[in-house]
């Protein structure tokens, strides 16, 4: 597999998302309710997967980035209970075969949006369908596209700063975001800036593209691939999706027959 997008920033990832925790209880609750094994696609460094495994639930995490997985593996290795409950797999969420079925499959923190085309999104959902037990649950979290930002087409964002504990550095982040309204993709050029031990200004750049999806196209995509939508939440407190929501969280069930809509 080619060098994955997140390999470059894997080292910084946990510092960057340190305060993003409000989705964890939501996934833990569904994982407890599902009563079976769980699969996370795009599990990264185990931010959500580890709290689920800590509840004694058997969970598999799949990710395309070896470096993100290496960080997750280190965490799992250090704890006997985690070693028992967690399986980590290097793979692509649009073409995986694990020879096992799960009661819950979830794709947290917009990882699904790394799939840029309808073809790749469908390929992923087809794999999910094959790996879910009958009536099994799929949860997909996407960001809610903001119409005011889309209309600007180019936006500069101050993403604040974080502390890199390993190297003792305060790192600030800025980004320039461009929307391609025809392809429904977002291109971000992100700049990380810090001062080294001698006070020299340092910079690192990271660019990536992700897709953005609207509510009803996502619902149709899920339905096309054999899922029934149970709920669309606008946040992890289970408030309904509305114009002001930051998230679109789809909770769906595997139907008996694939492709309701041909
Ligand atoms: C925003 S991070 C989310 C990580 C983790 N789920 C979390 O909530 O912190 C996106 C993750 O998706 C992974 N990813 C992106 N495209 C993927 C693909 N096609 N197959 C598997 N993993 C992928 C990346 O390597 C990265 O770890």
């Amino acid at each position: 597999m080619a060098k994955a997008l997140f390999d470059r920033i894997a080292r910084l990832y946990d510092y960057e998302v340190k305060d993003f925790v409000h989705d964890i209880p939501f996934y833990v609750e569904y994982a407890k309710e599902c009563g079976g094994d769980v699969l996370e696609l795009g599990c990264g460094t185990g931010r959500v997967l580890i709290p689920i495994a800590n509840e004694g639930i058997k969970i598999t995490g799949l990710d395309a980035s070896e470096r993100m997985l290496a960080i997750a593996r280190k965490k799992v290795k250090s704890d006997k209970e985690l070693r028992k409950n967690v399986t980590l797999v290097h793979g692509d969420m649009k073409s995986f075969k694990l020879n096992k079925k799960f009661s819950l499959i979830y794709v947290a923190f917009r990882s699904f949006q790394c799939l840029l085309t309808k073809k790749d999104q469908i390929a992923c959902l087809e794999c999910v369908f094959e790996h879910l037990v009958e009536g099994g649950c799929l949860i997909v979290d996407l960001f809610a596209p903001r119409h005011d930002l889309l209309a600007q087409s180019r936006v500069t964002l101050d993403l604040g700063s974080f502390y890199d504990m390993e190297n003792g550095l305060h790192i600030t982040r800025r980004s320039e975001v461009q929307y391609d309204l025809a392809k429904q993709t977002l291109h971000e050029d992100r700049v990380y800036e810090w001062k080294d031990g001698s006070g020299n200004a340092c910079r690192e750049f990271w660019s990536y593209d992700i897709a953005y999806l609207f509510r009803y196209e996502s619902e149709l995509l899920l339905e096309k691939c054999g899922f029934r939508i149970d709920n669309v939440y606008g946040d992890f407190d289970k408030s309904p999706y509305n114009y002001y929501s930051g998230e679109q969280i789809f909770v769906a069930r595997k139907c008996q027959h694939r492709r309701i809509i041909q």
Side-chain angles (χ1 to χ4, degrees):
M1 197 180 283
K3 200 164 162 34
L5 175 68
F6 276 73
D7 281 348
R8 277 222 34 222
I9 55 120
R11 189 181 67 73
L12 301 176
Y13 185 78
D14 279 354
Y15 303 129
E16 285 200 72
V17 299
K18 186 171 67 61
D19 298 325
F20 194 89
V21 289
H22 66 292
D23 57 345
I24 294 173
F26 176 89
Y27 290 110
V28 170
E29 183 188 322
Y30 275 97
K32 281 181 172 169
E33 265 175 30
C34 82
D37 288 5
V38 177
L39 169 65
E40 177 174 2
L41 300 179
C43 65
T45 60
R47 188 183 65 84
V48 182
L49 170 138
I50 286 174
I52 291 175
N54 276 333
E55 295 290 331
I57 295 165
K58 297 261 184 249
I59 182 162
T60 299
L62 178 138
D63 203 282
S65 163
E66 270 291 14
R67 292 205 181 161
M68 294 289 271
L69 279 176
I71 295 168
R73 278 199 193 100
K74 205 169 158 190
K75 295 175 190 169
V76 170
K77 216 174 142 188
S78 68
D79 185 286
K80 193 174 153 213
E81 197 59 20
L82 289 179
R83 284 201 301 275
K84 210 171 70 192
N85 292 331
V86 176
T87 306
L88 294 170
V89 180
H90 182 225
D92 190 325
M93 67 170 95
K94 59 185 185 293
S95 57
F96 60 94
K97 199 167 178 21
L98 301 176
N99 299 315
K100 180 174 175 178
K101 294 211 190 251
F102 299 87
S103 299
L104 167 67
I105 301 181
Y106 67 92
V107 202
F109 206 11
R110 296 89 187 253
S111 304
F112 187 78
Q113 295 176 251
C114 294
L115 304 173
L116 299 182
T117 62
K118 196 172 77 176
K119 187 170 162 243
D120 286 353
Q121 292 156 7
I122 289 173
C124 172
L125 294 175
E126 286 179 341
C127 284
V128 170
F129 189 93
E130 292 306 322
H131 286 79
L132 267 182
V133 299
E134 215 56 63
C137 181
L138 165 66
I139 304 177
V140 183
D141 165 40
L142 311 176
F143 74 69
R146 271 182 51 186
H147 295 76
D148 55 332
L149 294 183
L150 292 179
Q152 290 177 45
S153 79
R154 201 184 188 97
V155 186
T156 302
L157 298 171
D158 175 359
L159 299 176
S161 62
F162 63 93
Y163 186 60
D164 169 359
M165 283 205 318
E166 199 183 319
N167 298 298
L169 300 171
H170 285 281
I171 301 181
T172 58
R173 296 172 303 169
R174 279 183 298 113
S175 85
E176 192 158 295
V177 171
Q178 272 176 276
Y179 294 97
D180 185 322
L181 301 187
K183 288 188 181 149
Q184 283 190 209
T185 54
L186 172 164
H187 176 82
E188 180 175 346
D189 290 311
R190 193 179 290 186
V191 191
Y192 295 88
E193 293 176 306
W194 67 94
K195 290 227 164 73
D196 70 12
S198 315
N200 300 313
C202 303
R203 269 185 178 181
E204 201 170 311
F205 297 90
W206 186 55
S207 296
Y208 69 90
D209 293 283
I210 55 172
Y212 62 86
L213 290 92
F214 294 98
R215 183 222 179 129
Y216 290 117
E217 74 171 306
S218 308
E219 289 194 14
L220 285 169
L221 193 63
L222 287 162
E223 286 166 0
K224 177 183 169 63
C225 295
F227 298 93
R228 187 194 72 225
I229 316 291
D230 273 359
N231 278 300
V232 184
Y233 297 120
D235 207 340
F236 295 100
D237 60 5
K238 295 192 178 171
S239 50
Y241 177 73
N242 67 33
Y243 179 77
Y244 302 100
S245 301
E247 310 289 329
Q248 305 178 88
I249 307 157
F250 299 90
V251 179
R253 297 264 155 209
K254 176 176 170 172
C255 299
Q256 215 173 353
H257 302 290
R258 190 125 138 220
R259 300 228 166 89
I260 301 165
I261 301 163
Q262 292 296 335

